[in-house]
Amino acid sequence: MPLNSVPATVNMPALEYERLFAAQNAFVDIGFWGGAVPGNKEDLRPPHDDGVFGFKCFLLHSGVDEFPHLEADEMEEALEEIKTFDSLLIVHAEDSRTIAKAPQPNGNVYDTFLK
């Protein structure tokens, strides 16, 4: 996944860097996903042409500062770009407003979390 590496895999130099380390350390056949982040719309096609499976984005904080989330309109722009070369976009589509309003779990008991 593109956010599980430093630098995040959001352009060709980062993809090449990730592949360099994978080639030295991977013992199975692997593939890569690119990332859609603010400002990298023009960086999406080259990794696709170089074989990434598709792209991933978040609509709220990813948990990784190096992989910022897209606003809804930025996701639409990324989708329009990705559509031009028939690739995939997987989306963590959690809504920050809904999450902020949701009741917070109290404690670490699973039944309490479900309630």
Side-chain angles (χ1 to χ4, degrees):
M1 284 293 131
L3 69 155
N4 298 115
S5 60
V6 176
T9 312
V10 297
N11 55 36
M12 281 305 298
L15 177 61
E16 291 165 358
Y17 189 74
E18 188 173 357
R19 282 182 172 156
L20 173 71
F21 283 91
Q24 299 169 11
N25 296 294
F27 299 97
V28 297
D29 187 20
I30 58 174
F32 299 91
W33 285 82
V37 296
N40 84 326
K41 184 174 85 169
E42 301 301 319
D43 293 314
L44 298 174
R45 185 177 195 110
H48 165 77
D49 291 345
D50 205 38
V52 299
F53 293 150
F55 301 89
K56 179 177 187 170
C57 75
F58 285 77
L59 295 182
L60 76 163
H61 192 277
S62 69
V64 178
D65 291 337
E66 296 83 11
F67 198 88
H69 72 280
L70 296 177
E71 297 297 332
D73 60 324
E74 293 170 315
M75 181 193 67
E76 293 288 339
E77 291 174 14
L79 282 168
E80 285 296 320
E81 178 66 17
I82 290 167
K83 181 172 71 171
T84 68
F85 47 88
D86 196 30
S87 189
L88 302 171
L89 180 66
I90 55 177
V91 180
H92 273 268
E94 298 89 350
D95 179 72
S96 61
R97 295 173 304 256
T98 301
I99 291 171
K101 292 179 194 174
Q104 297 299 306
N106 186 6
N108 60 0
V109 177
Y110 187 64
D111 190 48
T112 304
F113 173 76
L114 292 177
K115 290 177 186 173

